[in-house]
Structures are given as C-alpha cells and as structure tokens.
Amino acid sequence: MEESSTPSDLTSFKSVRPGKERESSKALGITPSSERFLTPPIQAERQYPVLPLVSALPGTTVSPIRLPFGGGQGELFDLPGLPRSSLEDHVVERSKSDLVMRHRVKPKQYVIGPGKSLLLGGLVRIAPASSDITLLAHPFVPLQTHITTSEKAVAIHTQRDAPLVPTIARPGTGQKMSLAGTFPLKWDVTKQRSGPLTSRAAAGLKTNDLPFLIFATDILIEGCGWIEVAAQVRRKDWEARAGNRDGLEGATQFPTVEVWSPNGDYVAQRRPMNGWALGGPKRLASSRRTARPRRSMKGAKKRLKEKI
C-alpha cells in the first residue's frame, strides 16, 4: 500500500481518470455529505503525495489521514485514537524500564500448590482457582518473580503490609488491585509435555493410553510478556467430570487460574506456545562453533603412572 502511494518507478505511474477517486468511497456507501464532515477532502493521487503530520506523542494521530492508492482502486484511512492507560502508569518512575524484555528469557519453573500465589513484581498475582489442583508456571517476563502463601501475597499485592520482597508498584496502587478474570486451561498439551513417554525414540506410548492429561494456557501481561501455566489431571477424574468415556468430548470443567492486576486490566489469554521447551540461551550451530571440544581424559591416570 505504501509502495503504491509512493512508487519508486516513475514510468509505472498512471494518471487517474476523472471521478475514479470516488469509486472506493461509493463502494463503502459514503455519501458526499457525510464524507465532508467525517473525513478530510479527497486528494488527487500523485507520485509523491503530501504525507500528513504526526504528533510528537508516540502512538497518536493528530487528524484523520486519507491517501489514495492503486490508481483509484482504494483509499487508506487512519483515524485518531483515544488515549488509554497502561501497566506503566502503575510503576514507580525509576523501575519503568524493568517492564522491557532485553534478552532471551530462560524460564524457571514454579510450582503453585493449593494456598499459594505467584507474584510478578508486586503488580500481578496468579493463584489456582480451586484447592484440588497444582499449577506449573513458567514466567516469560522481565519482572522479579516470587511465590508465597496466598495470605502473604495478598498483603504484599494490596500494599497492606510492608513488602518483604522487591516490588515496583507505585504507592497507592494496592487499593486498585482487583480480579482480572478466571481463565480456564482449555488447551490439551499432553503430547508436548509428556517427554519420553510419547517419544518414538523412548517409550512411544499414545496419549490416549496415559493415565493423566495436561492442560495449559498462556496468561498475557500487556507490554511485558506472558506466563505459561499448566496443570495435570487424572484421566479417570476428568472422564468422570466430563461424563464421557473419551474424556475429550463434552468436557465442561477445565482447571482454572485466577489473576489479579491493577484495575483488573492488562491481562489476557491465548493458546500456549510451549515456549518453556525453547527458552534459555540460544544454542550455537555446530558449524559456527570455534572452540575445540574438550579432550577425553579416559586412561590419562593410567598413562601417567606408566611414565613414572
């Protein structure tokens, strides 16, 4: 689209027939009267159009933008947006840069049992929604992570007591903490997380023969990262709840996780990427390794005695 509105080849530019610039507007059902009040006037398509000015504030547009392209085949519209809050508004000034991920994350596994909670920088709290499941969490965030009892986590998260762990939350943010949602772990990742049990090079079992199921999801933290959360359930219990022998059809009760954040915002959910298996320091290809492998020391002690 940008290439069409600003062509690099001057010989390929074709002039627009009279009235051609209005065809795209008529196709969208825009009348001249509404067009006059809602959008800027129609511009003639040029080789190098006059580009609109932008605001000095990142992510904002001063006024509606309207650019024709493609020889009258369409028009580009960009309307001004509305300002909205972000997680950065609830962080102390000196720690706002801590929200930025600067390097490849090597996730550490945290076990969140019943009565436990996971704190992320004092801003986000994650806990199991029921007392009969244990969660495995892999945070892909640059924030300091801490796991403790839910009672202590609530006191730290709401700033009711003096924090015993590092927190980057702005003073007064604790009063704004509320439930962002209860998210079900509705994606089956049994095959990806079973390890050698389902590997063809090892046991080679089928997932339907395993006595357990593993469900997971990714909890997204806006502008910061995500936390991969997984839970294992017994297949018999799952089939009993689902009322189905297969345990995969008609299921209505998934393991769930509760998340608290400032104003209950900045949190979402998606299908898990299984990034825990790919995280950590990136391995260098064998063709690019310059260091020689370590010399084998097998029999070195015996050879040394023979020399003596």
Side-chain angles (χ1 to χ4, degrees):
M1 187 177 295
E2 182 181 353
E3 193 175 288
S4 300
S5 61
T6 311
S8 57
D9 186 5
L10 299 179
T11 59
S12 63
F13 179 79
K14 298 180 181 180
S15 60
V16 184
R17 298 195 306 270
K20 187 71 174 179
E21 64 273 6
R22 287 192 174 272
E23 292 184 4
S24 59
S25 300
K26 292 180 180 179
L28 297 175
I30 302 176
T31 62
S33 59
S34 63
E35 200 173 351
R36 184 173 66 254
F37 292 106
L38 299 178
T39 61
I42 299 177
Q43 298 185 28
E45 188 168 350
R46 303 181 180 90
Q47 295 180 356
Y48 299 96
V50 179
L51 298 179
L53 298 178
V54 297
S55 171
L57 185 63
T60 61
T61 305
V62 177
S63 63
I65 298 173
R66 184 178 186 179
L67 290 175
F69 67 91
Q73 297 179 5
E75 289 180 315
L76 168 65
F77 286 88
D78 185 15
L79 302 179
L82 297 176
R84 63 173 184 173
S85 63
S86 64
L87 189 64
E88 186 179 289
D89 299 335
H90 305 279
V91 179
V92 294
E93 192 67 30
R94 65 177 182 276
S95 301
K96 287 186 176 181
S97 60
D98 294 343
L99 297 177
V100 182
M101 191 180 297
R102 296 184 176 85
H103 54 82
R104 185 183 178 95
V105 176
K106 182 179 181 181
K108 181 180 178 181
Q109 178 175 284
Y110 293 88
V111 180
I112 312 175
K116 299 283 187 178
S117 291
L118 185 70
L119 278 175
L120 303 173
L123 290 172
V124 180
R125 182 169 70 91
I126 300 176
S130 59
S131 59
D132 59 344
I133 61 171
T134 299
L135 302 176
L136 295 181
H138 297 83
F140 290 83
V141 293
L143 303 176
Q144 293 192 13
T145 309
H146 181 72
I147 188 168
T148 183
T149 61
S150 295
E151 184 179 356
K152 293 181 180 179
V154 170
I156 297 173
H157 196 223
T158 58
Q159 298 179 344
R160 193 172 56 202
D161 298 338
L164 301 178
V165 295
T167 177
I168 62 175
R170 188 189 297 270
T173 306
Q175 302 175 359
K176 303 177 182 179
M177 299 299 179
S178 58
L179 182 64
T182 301
F183 302 96
L185 281 62
K186 56 183 179 181
W187 284 281
D188 189 352
V189 293
T190 307
K191 185 175 182 179
Q192 292 85 347
R193 284 184 168 264
S194 297
L197 292 178
T198 56
S199 176
R200 293 183 179 180
L205 299 176
K206 295 183 178 180
T207 55
N208 293 333
D209 297 334
L210 298 176
F212 59 86
L213 292 169
I214 303 176
F215 296 95
T217 187
D218 281 353
I219 302 298
L220 308 179
I221 309 298
E222 182 179 325
C224 187
W226 75 96
I227 303 94
E228 186 172 338
V229 184
Q232 177 178 307
V233 297
R234 293 183 59 189
R235 183 178 290 272
K236 291 183 178 180
D237 297 341
W238 175 256
E239 293 175 354
R241 289 201 308 266
N244 191 303
R245 292 184 178 181
D246 296 334
L248 299 177
E249 297 180 1
T252 57
Q253 295 183 0
F254 292 94
T256 54
V257 58
E258 294 179 342
V259 184
W260 286 263
S261 64
N263 297 324
D265 296 331
Y266 322 116
V267 177
Q269 179 187 26
R270 74 177 178 199
R271 179 185 293 273
M273 296 175 57
N274 293 315
W276 64 275
L278 304 174
K282 191 174 182 179
R283 295 183 178 180
L284 192 65
S286 58
S287 59
R288 300 183 60 184
R289 296 174 187 169
T290 57
R292 297 179 59 185
R294 184 178 178 181
R295 180 182 177 184
S296 175
M297 300 301 294
K298 184 177 181 180
K301 188 175 182 179
K302 183 178 180 181
R303 291 194 297 269
L304 182 61
K305 289 182 177 180
E306 291 177 353
K307 291 181 180 180
I308 296 175

